[in-house]
Amino acid sequence: MLKWWRQSHPAKVKTDDADSDESGDADEIGWLAARPDLAYHILYTGFFGFVAVTTLRFKYLWTPHLCVLAAVGVSDKECFQWLLGWLGIKSEKAARVLQHLVTFGVIAFIVYKSLPAIREELEYLGEFYDPDTVELMRWIMKRTKKTAAFAGSMQLMAGVKLCAGRPITNHPHYEDKRLRERTKQIYQFYGKQSVELVHRNLRDVGTSYIIMEDSICYARNDPRWPGCRLPDIVDRCNGHALDTELEDEDKQQGFTPAKHLRFCQAVEYDDAYTEYFKKVFSNKTFRVYKVLGPKS
């Protein structure tokens, strides 16, 4: 595009005599024709501005070009010389005065419009109140080694990594196929799987502790969106019928009743699970189990 612009608008070569009257030459050559880079941003700013008006999400394409033009508008002397040229004013001093006036005017306008909102936001004193999560993070930092790896829901693992600084075995990086498969493998403790399978999956990814959330494990089924709970999704991926009665639709799609209890519920009261997992922490929201070594 820049090559085409230069061919369509050839700039004249300036001589030494032209140095005495820069603004006059700029008018003869055509200020915009001599600035293909600026013409490029103007064209794309207009195009992306139209796209942003029609589709709000595309503001991210429009904003960078708008920032470039704004920077040119307050810092490029030739821009103001070109604007004053339309009014018949070719004084370089007048262009500099207008440049400074516009710069301070823009800053004053931004301060005038933004300062009240900033003051209001600074006066607001918010408070984070989640005692169960705070208790969990404090326990992790005090009672576990810095090399201990944790597994759990993706959103909770982000908090463990950020607050406690412990290694995590899965996190919400959906673009990575390997991590998606690993998360599916770890989430089997929310499904109806055998203790041996869950234990093997967690050991394969180097998990030291698993954190179970009762809000996920014991989530109530919403009749408006059946089958949308995380345990239901895990069951469907494993080919298992839902907790409700096996309907004709399930039979037609090949879903069968699971042979095992839901792991996150059974591990809480079945003594057979203690050979593989040991509860080391619990409160009203979370349960933490230590993954024991392989059994002979």
Side-chain angles (χ1 to χ4, degrees):
M1 176 176 269
L2 294 179
K3 182 178 180 181
W4 170 83
W5 183 271
R6 291 192 179 99
Q7 292 175 352
S8 303
H9 302 80
K12 297 181 180 179
V13 179
K14 294 184 180 182
T15 61
D16 295 337
D17 296 337
D19 295 338
S20 60
D21 191 359
E22 295 180 0
S23 61
D25 282 340
D27 185 57
E28 293 177 1
I29 296 173
W31 175 73
L32 194 58
R35 297 290 300 274
D37 53 342
L38 190 56
Y40 169 86
H41 285 291
I42 291 176
L43 291 174
Y44 270 84
T45 299
F47 171 73
F48 287 130
F50 171 76
V51 174
V53 171
T54 57
T55 308
L56 187 61
R57 289 180 179 271
F58 282 96
K59 288 193 300 183
Y60 78 95
L61 295 174
W62 181 49
T63 303
H65 291 279
L66 197 62
C67 291
V68 170
L69 289 185
V72 172
V74 298
S75 63
D76 196 328
K77 182 185 66 176
E78 294 182 3
C79 174
F80 292 95
Q81 289 179 337
W82 180 72
L83 291 175
L84 291 177
W86 284 87
L87 302 176
I89 303 174
K90 297 184 179 181
S91 173
E92 183 176 349
K93 293 183 178 179
R96 290 188 179 276
V97 171
L98 180 61
Q99 178 183 3
H100 294 308
L101 289 177
V102 170
T103 302
F104 286 114
V106 170
I107 295 175
F109 178 76
I110 293 175
V111 172
Y112 172 77
K113 296 292 291 186
S114 304
L115 189 59
I118 294 175
R119 286 180 175 177
E120 182 180 356
E121 186 175 349
L122 292 175
E123 291 175 356
Y124 175 74
L125 298 178
E127 182 180 1
F128 172 79
Y129 184 76
D130 189 354
D132 291 342
T133 302
V134 173
E135 183 183 11
L136 172 66
M137 298 302 169
R138 287 178 176 174
W139 180 86
I140 292 175
M141 290 186 289
K142 292 181 180 180
R143 299 297 183 86
T144 64
K145 297 180 180 179
K146 293 184 177 181
T147 56
F150 285 79
S153 65
M154 291 184 291
Q155 62 271 20
L156 181 60
M157 291 302 96
V160 171
K161 181 65 176 178
L162 178 63
C163 299
R166 297 298 188 269
I168 56 177
T169 56
N170 62 310
H171 61 84
H173 186 190
Y174 299 103
E175 292 79 6
D176 192 300
K177 181 180 179 181
R178 183 178 62 85
L179 285 177
R180 290 199 302 269
E181 294 296 332
R182 173 180 286 194
T183 298
K184 180 180 176 181
Q185 179 181 357
I186 291 172
Y187 275 8
Q188 294 304 314
F189 62 71
Y190 282 125
K192 300 174 182 177
Q193 298 287 11
S194 65
V195 61
E196 293 83 6
L197 175 63
V198 175
H199 183 266
R200 182 171 63 252
N201 288 347
L202 295 172
R203 292 286 299 180
D204 287 344
V205 296
T207 305
S208 305
Y209 297 89
I210 57 174
I211 305 177
M212 296 185 184
E213 301 172 62
D214 289 342
S215 59
I216 297 178
C217 183
Y218 294 99
R220 295 182 179 180
N221 186 32
D222 193 329
R224 297 174 297 175
W225 301 289
C228 291
R229 303 177 304 168
L230 178 57
D232 295 337
I233 296 174
V234 175
D235 290 342
R236 288 302 198 192
C237 291
N238 295 333
H240 297 156
L242 302 182
D243 291 335
T244 56
E245 295 181 1
L246 187 63
E247 301 176 354
D248 293 337
E249 183 180 352
D250 291 336
K251 294 180 181 179
Q252 295 175 1
Q253 295 180 0
F255 296 113
T256 58
K259 298 180 180 180
H260 304 278
L261 299 174
R262 190 169 304 283
F263 178 87
C264 62
Q265 298 176 4
V267 71
E268 197 168 8
Y269 58 82
D270 195 333
D271 293 337
Y273 288 64
T274 57
E275 297 182 5
Y276 299 89
F277 300 92
K278 178 182 179 181
K279 182 190 288 187
V280 292
F281 173 84
S282 65
N283 57 24
K284 294 183 296 183
T285 305
F286 304 103
R287 287 177 283 135
V288 180
Y289 291 87
K290 183 176 182 180
V291 181
L292 303 180
K295 301 297 180 181
S296 58

